[in-house]
Amino acid sequence: MSAEPRLYIDADLAENAEIALEKDQAHYLKNVMRLGHGATLKLFNGRDGEWRAAIDHVSKSRVDIAVMDRLRPQVAEPDLWLLFAPIKGKRIDAIAEKAGELGASEIRPVLTERTVVARVNTERLQANAREAAEQCERLTLPAVHDPVKLTDIVAAWPSDRSLLYADERANAAPIAQALAGKAPGGRWAVLIGPEGGFSPEEQTLVRGLAQAVPVSLGPRLLRADTAAFAALSVWQAHLGDWRDGDG
Ligand code: SAM
C-alpha cells in the first residue's frame, strides 16, 4: 500500500488546478497524517483519472492543494451492481467496503420479505465504500443508493442488465458454469438474499425475469456477506477486470 495519501474529491482535476479540500479531508491530512506544505498525495474524481498533487497552503481551518501531473488516465470499469438485503451490525459495513474493493459500480440495498433490518445508514455505507475505493486504487467511487423494495426493483428491471441471482435452494447451475461462454463486460447485477433467504414468492418473481441467471455458490450455505464477496469475485474473474490483460 502506498504511503502517499489517496483521496477522492468532487472537483475537476487538471494540471495546475488549485483546490481547497473539504473540512474532513483537510483535517485528515493535517491532523491525522500530519502533512504540511509540499507533501504530495494522489487524487481521483471518477472522471479525470488519477493525479498527483501537493499541499500548497495549510492554515488552521483549511488545506489548499495544487494539482501537478496526471498519473493514470480514466478507464472504463465494470458495470456491476450489488443488490443485497441489508444485514445487521458491522457486517453491512464490510459489505460496502468489500464491494468497493471488488469493483461494484453501484451498491443497492433491497428490502425483501425476510429482511429484518429496518433502517439502513446509507451515508455510513458510502463512507465505507469511499474509503475502500481510496485505498484500493480504483478510479471511481461506487454509488450507494437508498434501500428499495425487491418487488419494485424487479418490476422496473432494465432490459439490458443481466441479474446474477444467488439462489441457495433451487437447483441452480454452479456459478462458474453459468458464466462460462457469456461475453465479458456488459451490464450486470449480483443479487444476494437476507439471512432468512428469499421467500418462495420472491424466488418465483426473480426467476421469472428474462434477465435472471440463477446460480449456486456451492454446497455450503454462506452467510449473506460471504455470498456477496464470492459472487462478485467469481463474476470479476469470469467477465470482469480480473481477466488476463484487464488487471
Ligand atoms: N436461511 C437461508 C436458507 O436456509 O435457505 C439462507 C440464506 S443465506 C444465509 C443468504 C443469501 O446468501 C441467500 O439468500 C443467497 O442469496 C446467498 N447464498 C448463500 N449461500 C449460497 C449458496 N450456496 N448458493 C447460492 N446462494 C447462496
Side-chain angles (χ1 to χ4, degrees), residues 188-201:
W188 280 82
V190 163
L191 172 63
I192 305 295
E195 290 303 333
F198 292 105
S199 70
E201 293 75 20

Side-chain angles (χ1 to χ4, degrees), residues 127-144:
N128 281 298
R130 175 177 175 152
E131 212 171 293
E134 288 173 341
Q135 75 78 28
C136 80
E137 305 198 350
R138 66 184 277 180
L139 290 171
T140 58
L141 202 61
V144 178

Side-chain angles (χ1 to χ4, degrees), residues 166-169 192-197 215-218 220-222 227:
D167 187 355
E168 77 277 16
R169 287 293 169 203
I192 305 295
E195 290 303 333
V215 293
S216 159
L217 300 173
R220 289 167 292 276
L221 202 52
L222 307 176

